[in-house]
Amino acid sequence: MKKILQFFAITTFSSMAFAQQSFSLDESWQYAIDHNVNVKKAKIDKTIAGQKVKETIGIGLPQLDGQAKYNYFLNVPVQLLPAELAGGDPGTYIPVKFGQKQSMTGGLTLSQLLFSGSYIVGLQASKAYKETAALAEEKTEISVKEGIMMAYAAVLVTDENIKTLEENRKVVEKSLYDTKETYKVGLIEYQNVEQLEYSYKSLLANQQNLNRSREKVLMALKYLMGYPLEDKLTLTSTLDQLIKKNETLVDMTNFINNENHIDIRLKENALTLSELEFKLEKSKSLPTLSAAVASNYNGYSDQFNFLKSSQQWFNTSVVAVQLDIPIFSGFQRHWRTQQAKLNLEKAKLDVEDIKRDLSNKAFAATIDYNNAYNSYKNSEELITLSSSIYNKERIKFNEGLGTSFDLQQSETQLYDSQAKYYQAAIELIQAKTKLDEALGTL
């Protein structure tokens, strides 16, 4: 029974470990939202902003402070009294020590802000700041999502390219073997063998380069996801799935309403903050009203007797209301208000400009995408044509009816069309990602 339990435990652990190593595109996005460093920092900033709101609210709540103070006078303060009070000559003074060598004071002060225009505006601003942090987190997640899409697609395209090169290598390897056998019986020149050897070695070098490039883009994907760089990562989405998802022409005359675009909302939030800054500067000309209640106990002694029950304590209590009225600040408030007003005008222009900028980007991204779509479709046709030409030339060459030059030319044409196909595939996915980002639908 113990061995059976151990077997199931190991099997379960292995399954969990394997599941954690395999990611579809959507799972990669979700993993990045939970583990990407920049997303984590944005979430922390959002939490800090929420705490900042609570901190600002606390300014308007009752404030309770305690005070305690101990004094030891090396020299007791001296006061001069008119000597005539003690029968002395008028115009002369007698030095008299008032107080004792030691004193202690303890008390509490309760204060409450009753009215402050700056506090009211500051409270509104702190909430807007919290909204800024939330928007920044959303913007960060979108940027990470875009990066994941690009890196994930790059790995898939590289994998497909490696598979194609391997198929080409096998074909060339067989042709090379057959050509060598034909040369041995003296039916062809050795130049034909050399030509195929050249192609074979070129394919091997390209394979090695692509394998190293794959490790590079895979490492970039791991980094964006926040995935352990040293752990194995398996991608379960396929290139065909990504292409089919992004394979459609876009109508340039029918843009999606981008009012909800993250960049517009960020600018509108910045506009709100500028409005509050303007209100804050104007509120500084309003009076501030506060109240406080304080109660203190004072004790005096020539010896340290403050902890004894015989020590006398004298209470002082006060209720205070304070009104602060700004009267004249050397025009400082005026010019700060004017600066805030101008910043508000700039923020309004920023909102208008970002809307125009996003419309322009969406239009440009649509054209780029449609061009990428057409290039991809054309590259598919070129693959079919070049494959057909190469297969015919290879058959003719093997039968001694074609030249090595014709075979090399068709081979170069095939490899070039394959390279263009994979380049077109990645550009199609990238263009669609850029378009979705411009439209605010990513």
Side-chain angles (χ1 to χ4, degrees), residues 199-336:
S199 298
Y200 185 75
K201 290 181 179 180
S202 296
L203 284 173
L204 285 178
N206 289 337
Q207 273 188 307
Q208 292 170 355
N209 291 339
L210 271 180
N211 284 325
R212 284 189 289 266
S213 297
R214 184 189 188 279
E215 292 303 315
K216 178 181 176 181
V217 292
L218 183 62
M219 187 68 72
L221 176 60
K222 289 180 180 180
Y223 175 77
L224 285 173
M225 290 174 58
Y227 190 81
L229 300 180
E230 66 280 0
D231 287 0
K232 182 181 178 181
L233 178 64
T234 303
L235 309 187
T236 58
S237 295
T238 65
L239 182 60
D240 287 340
Q241 290 174 339
L242 265 65
I243 291 175
K244 288 179 181 178
K245 185 178 180 181
N246 297 284
E247 191 180 4
T248 177
L249 284 172
V250 179
D251 184 2
M252 292 186 294
T253 62
N254 187 26
F255 287 126
I256 299 174
N257 186 353
N258 62 1
E259 289 295 324
N260 197 43
H261 196 285
I262 181 63
D263 289 344
I264 292 179
R265 287 184 285 143
L266 279 167
K267 291 296 183 182
E268 289 177 341
N269 185 259
L271 174 60
T272 300
L273 288 172
S274 294
E275 291 172 343
L276 291 171
E277 181 185 359
F278 181 53
K279 289 175 61 177
L280 176 63
E281 294 301 330
K282 292 199 299 183
S283 71
K284 290 180 180 179
S285 62
L286 299 175
T288 300
L289 181 64
S290 59
V293 177
S295 180
N296 294 300
Y297 283 86
N298 302 295
Y300 307 95
S301 177
D302 286 326
Q303 304 294 326
F304 193 89
N305 298 320
F306 302 109
L307 301 180
K308 296 182 178 180
S309 59
S310 60
Q311 173 66 45
Q312 284 187 305
W313 292 93
F314 304 93
N315 177 254
T316 300
S317 298
V318 60
V319 176
V321 178
Q322 180 174 333
L323 180 66
D324 296 309
I325 305 175
I327 298 176
F328 181 68
S329 64
F331 298 108
Q332 294 181 67
R333 284 194 303 273
H334 170 75
W335 294 120
R336 283 198 297 265

Side-chain angles (χ1 to χ4, degrees), residues 247 370-386 416-418 420-422 424-425 428:
E247 191 180 4
N370 287 340
N371 288 340
Y373 175 80
N374 289 331
S375 296
Y376 174 74
K377 285 299 183 182
N378 183 61
S379 68
E380 282 186 315
E381 296 176 1
L382 292 178
I383 282 280
T384 303
L385 288 173
S386 61
D416 182 63
S417 64
Q418 289 172 343
K420 287 181 178 178
Y421 170 77
Y422 290 118
L428 175 69

Side-chain angles (χ1 to χ4, degrees), residues 168 383 386-387 390 410-419:
N168 293 340
I383 282 280
S386 61
S387 296
Y390 173 71
S410 64
E411 184 183 76
T412 302
Q413 195 173 47
L414 173 62
Y415 296 163
D416 182 63
S417 64
Q418 289 172 343

